[in-house]
Amino acid sequence: MKTIDDYMKKAYRMEIVEDKDEGGFVVTYPDLPGCISCGETIESAVANAIDAKEVWLEAAIEEGIEINEPDSLDDYSGQFKLRIPKSLHKSLAEHSQREGISMNQYCVYLLSKNDVLYSK
């Protein structure tokens, strides 16, 4: 069984979201369900989140709750091949040219923007 120090050294991903209703920032760890914290500034929210992570891990170990390993990006190359209609290819090429960026950058922008909408 791993110790709290072992888990604290692992790179668990934090998600930081601005709380527009209450003010400040909310921090969660997607791999540690229910581990959530907040703070008035990003810095204080992150510091509080690190404390919350330690308390969450202590409680999980004491209660015998399974602790997930951090998500790893090692299985992903960052590349994939996509076949699209010629008309869409033309449209993407024209839009990216107008923006002064590569079509690859433009597509990453569009995918990221759309992914944010569906990740909530």
Side-chain angles (χ1 to χ4, degrees):
M1 186 153 136
K2 295 180 182 159
T3 67
I4 291 172
D5 289 336
D6 294 331
Y7 285 111
M8 288 299 290
K9 290 176 188 172
K10 294 184 179 283
Y12 284 97
R13 180 172 53 93
M14 283 184 191
E15 288 187 355
I16 304 170
V17 177
E18 184 177 4
D19 186 342
K20 295 184 183 203
D21 296 331
E22 301 289 325
F25 298 86
V26 176
V27 181
T28 59
Y29 291 92
D31 297 321
L32 304 175
C35 185
I36 185 169
S37 187
C38 61
E40 291 184 20
T41 64
I42 290 178
E43 294 81 9
S44 66
V46 168
N48 292 342
I50 292 168
D51 291 342
K53 177 177 144 186
E54 187 170 10
V55 171
W56 189 97
L57 291 167
E58 286 173 356
I61 289 170
E62 285 176 16
E63 297 293 322
I65 296 170
E66 182 181 348
I67 299 172
N68 297 324
E69 291 293 317
D71 237 356
S72 172
L73 297 178
D74 294 341
D75 296 334
Y76 304 96
S77 68
Q79 298 178 13
F80 70 97
K81 192 172 193 172
L82 180 66
R83 299 213 179 269
I84 59 176
K86 290 180 181 181
S87 59
L88 178 57
H89 189 173
K90 177 182 184 245
S91 177
L92 292 170
E94 290 171 350
H95 288 125
S96 63
Q97 187 175 20
R98 260 186 259 134
E99 293 295 325
I101 58 177
S102 72
M103 192 170 75
N104 188 59
Q105 288 174 310
Y106 185 65
C107 289
V108 168
Y109 160 74
L110 291 174
L111 288 168
S112 299
K113 185 177 173 184
N114 196 49
D115 188 52
V116 167
L117 294 173
Y118 288 99
S119 66
K120 293 183 178 186

